Amino acid sequence: MISKIVKEIEGYTVEACTYSADVSATGKPLIMYEVYNKNTDLLEAFDNLQEAIDYVENQIAWDRMIAMLPQHEAIARY
């Protein structure tokens, strides 16, 4: 696998990962866009860069919403 960072947004990283042709159903190299958080945990993988960016923007919106809640409510809900 070959990996390179294509976008970093507020603690999230989107990496383009190219997997060799032998793991692809098409017989061609497979490119996946993997989303990682600031702890380098893999959160999700997409076959389209825009989907990965949309996912990150949605996660950031949730992070901001949760940050506005009182602590006891944030823990209970999420």
Side-chain angles (χ1 to χ4, degrees):
M1 173 184 76
I2 300 170
S3 176
K4 78 173 187 179
I5 295 173
V6 291
K7 194 135 184 109
E8 291 181 306
I9 309 169
E10 293 186 37
Y12 291 91
T13 303
V14 178
E15 291 185 8
C17 300
T18 305
Y19 294 91
S20 64
D22 58 339
V23 299
S24 172
T26 62
K28 298 177 182 173
L30 174 67
I31 298 174
M32 295 295 294
Y33 297 93
E34 298 180 351
V35 178
Y36 294 88
N37 63 13
K38 63 183 171 197
N39 299 324
T40 66
D41 298 323
L42 174 63
L43 301 179
E44 194 70 58
F46 300 91
D47 58 1
N48 179 303
L49 178 58
Q50 188 58 52
E51 287 179 28
I53 291 170
D54 292 345
Y55 177 85
V56 168
E57 290 172 350
N58 187 47
Q59 288 296 115
I60 291 168
W62 274 102
D63 292 347
R64 289 178 180 161
M65 184 179 72
I66 291 169
M68 292 188 307
L69 294 173
Q71 185 177 11
H72 68 279
E73 217 175 299
I75 292 170
R77 289 187 185 198
Y78 308 99

